[in-house]
């Protein structure tokens, strides 16, 4: 968590030193989806093989991120496993 905060801090500090036009131009160049190649796997008793590519949209990625953060914070609040 500290590492992530340090990275975010460095990014924000660097962004504040650049002219506003450059920062806005960089923000507009982000993609709205990401494609992933999945390694082909052996199948047994399946009619169709699983897909070898997947596409994740920005909205799906944010939804998964929020869920992961919720699960992580719940695990931290519950304390260490004994």
């Amino acid at each position: 968590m500290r590492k992530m905060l340090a990275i975010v801090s460095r990014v924000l500090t660097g962004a504040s030193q650049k002219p506003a036009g450059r920062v806005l131009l960089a923000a507009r160049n982000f993609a709205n989806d990401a494609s992933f190649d999945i390694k082909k796997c052996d199948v047994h008793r399946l009619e169709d093989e699983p897909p070898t590519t997947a596409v994740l949209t920005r909205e799906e990625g944010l939804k998964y991120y929020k869920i992961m953060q919720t699960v992580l914070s719940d695990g931290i609040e519950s304390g260490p496993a004994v």
Side-chain angles (χ1 to χ4, degrees):
M1 186 71 170
R2 288 182 186 172
K3 196 176 206 180
M4 184 173 65
L5 290 175
I7 292 170
V8 169
S9 175
R10 271 188 257 130
V11 168
L12 292 177
T13 303
S16 65
Q17 295 171 354
K18 294 179 183 175
R22 285 181 65 191
V23 174
L24 290 177
L25 179 63
R28 287 185 292 207
N29 292 335
F30 291 121
N32 288 327
D33 57 359
S35 299
F36 299 95
D37 293 327
I38 303 169
K39 185 174 76 169
K40 191 173 180 178
C41 60
D42 295 333
V43 294
H44 178 70
R45 293 187 145 188
L46 290 177
E47 294 174 6
D48 298 323
E49 293 182 357
T52 56
T53 59
V55 177
L56 180 70
T57 64
R58 182 180 188 274
E59 290 78 25
E60 290 172 333
L62 289 172
K63 182 179 84 171
Y64 294 140
Y65 178 76
K66 289 177 184 177
I67 291 171
M68 289 188 322
Q69 289 298 316
T70 303
V71 170
L72 178 66
S73 65
D74 288 346
I76 290 172
E77 288 177 7
S78 68
V82 254

